[in-house]
């Protein structure tokens, strides 16, 4: 397994005391259709995870809700025992129902059980980073996170969690979490076309807190924009490369976790994120989601 690499586009970032490459990998796409069940190609999924580590990626994002349990168990099968440099970020606060929905599971007993299950599925004694996932499948929802977040703080005090974060959160919920205990990251939906967290990203950058956009490539519906296609054509690059390179340029606290079930796409994304964008390119791209 490779040791910490700073040759990946974007270099490194520190989540509390953990150093990670800003270019990470999001494991959700490794589960079956609708993020339910096992992958069609089990060995292919293991190959993607091993390739991520071989490329020098030291940040993998997962959740027991993916599959459920499928992606975390694949990570364990592919990569355990983990290199000291590898850090796995997981999420608790949502579960799955038989229809493939994502009902919330944020009562203290749900969260305690979820943390223990994550430890077991990943084969760890301490989880590096746990995000409290808020809101629902439609996005963030207002409301206090105090009881749920305090439960995770208690599990952190017991030594089961190293660092905390929040996901799918409003700016008010981020502030509320920070008033209870330090957080190292916020994981929300954000990309070239969805810029609602611009202000939050800048505030978090000032505080040294990572912002980890989910759906960096548009998620289940790929990013489509004529301005993006025009910049990509000019640079002889793919729109995906431009979208990733733009995120790395957008703010130093942005960490990438693009998802893919393909080794070829993973390699393409790593290479593509290193694309250099001119001021003219940036100005054109900036108009897309404003
Ligand atoms: N906190 C939350 O609530 C939340 C919600 C959603 C996701 N997440 C996390 O965020 C991560 C990223 O989100 P995501 O995977 O849903 O969306 P994404 O990274 O925006 O896009 C993934 C999609 O893009 C395709 N893709 C990737 N690279 C490609 C390439 N080079 N060429 C063509 N197609 C390419 C993938 O298909 P292929 O498999 O064919 O490459 C997949 O369909 C997830 O893995 C998960 O860890 C968190």
């Amino acid at each position: 397994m490779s040791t910490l690499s700073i040759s990946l586009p974007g270099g490194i970032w520190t989540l509390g005391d953990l150093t990670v490459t800003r270019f990470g990998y999001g494991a959700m796409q490794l589960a079956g259709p609708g993020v339910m069940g096992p992958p069609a190609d089990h060995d292919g999924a293991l190959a993607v995870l091993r390739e991520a580590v071989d490329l020098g990626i030291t940040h993998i994002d997962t959740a027991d809700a993916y599959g459920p349990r499928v992606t975390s168990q694949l990570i364990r099968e592919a990569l355990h025992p983990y290199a000291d440099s590898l850090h796995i970020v997981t999420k608790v606060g949502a579960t799955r129902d038989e229809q493939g929905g994502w009902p919330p599971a944020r009562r203290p007993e749900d969260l305690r059980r979820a943390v223990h299950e994550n430890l077991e599925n990943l084969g760890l004694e301490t989880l590096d980073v746990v995000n409290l996932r808020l809101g629902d499948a439609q996005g963030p929802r207002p409301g206090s996170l105090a009881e749920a977040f305090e439960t995770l703080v208690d599990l952190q005090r017991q030594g089961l969690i190293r660092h905390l974060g929040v996901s799918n959160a409003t700016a008010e919920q981020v502030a509320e979490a920070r008033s209870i205990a330090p957080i190292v990251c916020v994981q929300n939906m954000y990309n070239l076309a969805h810029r609602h967290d611009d202000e939050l990203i800048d505030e978090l950058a000032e505080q040294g807190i990572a912002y980890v956009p989910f759906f960096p490539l548009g998620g289940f519906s790929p990013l489509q924009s004529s301005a993006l296609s025009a910049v990509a054509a000019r640079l002889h690059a793919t729109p995906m490369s431009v979208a990733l390179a733009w995120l790395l340029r957008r703010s130093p606290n942005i960490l990438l976790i693009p998802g893919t079930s393909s080794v070829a796409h993973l390699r393409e994304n790593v290479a593509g994120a290193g694309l250099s964008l001119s001021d003219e390119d940036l100005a054109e791209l900036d108009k897309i989601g404003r």
Side-chain angles (χ1 to χ4, degrees):
M1 287 194 197
S2 59
T3 51
L4 183 67
S5 161
I6 54 166
S7 59
L8 285 166
I12 57 173
W13 178 263
T14 51
L15 293 168
D17 61 346
L18 307 175
T19 303
V20 293
T21 49
R22 284 181 70 208
F23 196 103
Y25 171 69
M28 188 177 85
Q29 301 292 340
L30 295 181
V35 199
M36 287 294 277
D41 178 1
H42 179 86
D43 290 348
L46 299 181
V48 172
L49 288 161
R50 291 183 181 131
E51 180 69 14
V53 169
D54 287 347
L55 288 167
I57 289 172
T58 65
H59 169 201
I60 295 182
D61 186 79
T62 186
D64 264 2
Y66 302 159
R69 295 174 294 282
V70 167
T71 59
S72 297
Q73 289 174 355
L74 286 168
I75 290 169
R76 180 179 184 162
E77 184 179 350
L79 302 175
H80 196 279
Y82 305 114
D84 289 345
S85 56
L86 182 66
H87 300 297
I88 300 170
V89 176
T90 191
K91 290 173 282 294
V92 294
T95 184
R96 303 303 296 278
D97 59 27
E98 281 172 12
Q99 292 72 43
W102 304 76
R106 295 196 281 270
R107 295 172 306 173
E109 59 270 34
D110 297 327
L111 296 170
R112 281 190 213 102
R113 186 173 52 247
V115 164
H116 285 280
E117 285 175 1
N118 270 276
L119 286 165
E120 190 182 326
N121 287 318
L122 288 165
L124 288 167
E125 286 176 6
T126 304
L127 297 168
D128 281 334
V129 183
V130 174
N131 284 317
L132 173 63
R133 187 186 183 273
L134 299 156
D136 57 29
Q138 274 65 54
R141 294 280 175 264
S144 174
L145 52 62
E147 188 185 29
F149 196 69
E150 280 161 7
T151 303
L152 294 183
V153 172
D154 187 43
L155 293 163
Q156 184 182 35
R157 286 198 193 106
Q158 292 172 35
L160 302 181
I161 299 173
R162 205 175 309 275
H163 298 296
L164 294 169
V166 291
S167 178
N168 211 23
T170 64
E172 292 71 28
Q173 287 164 336
V174 172
E176 189 187 11
R178 295 187 61 212
S179 73
I180 297 170
I183 60 168
V184 297
C185 54
V186 173
Q187 186 178 126
N188 275 2
M189 182 181 172
Y190 181 83
N191 57 44
L192 253 177
H194 292 91
R195 303 278 301 271
H196 38 267
D197 269 352
D198 270 331
E199 212 176 298
L200 178 63
I201 290 171
D202 296 338
E203 274 171 40
L204 294 172
E206 280 172 26
Q207 306 297 327
I209 297 171
Y211 183 90
V212 188
F214 73 76
F215 295 165
L217 299 172
F220 297 107
S221 22
L223 282 174
Q224 281 179 333
S225 138
S226 51
L228 174 58
S229 301
V231 172
R234 194 162 69 221
L235 295 172
H236 307 291
T238 63
M240 305 230 168
S241 303
V242 175
L244 294 174
W246 176 82
L247 281 170
L248 286 180
R249 277 289 294 274
R250 168 63 185 81
S251 186
N253 65 328
I254 289 190
L255 311 185
L256 300 185
I257 51 162
T260 180
S261 54
S262 144
V263 167
H265 286 172
L266 177 62
R267 288 185 188 145
E268 244 176 70
N269 294 344
V270 168
L275 193 69
S276 132
L277 300 171
S278 67
D279 290 345
E280 185 195 354
D281 300 329
L282 289 172
E284 229 169 293
L285 295 169
D286 195 47
K287 289 185 201 140
I288 295 174
R290 290 272 187 195

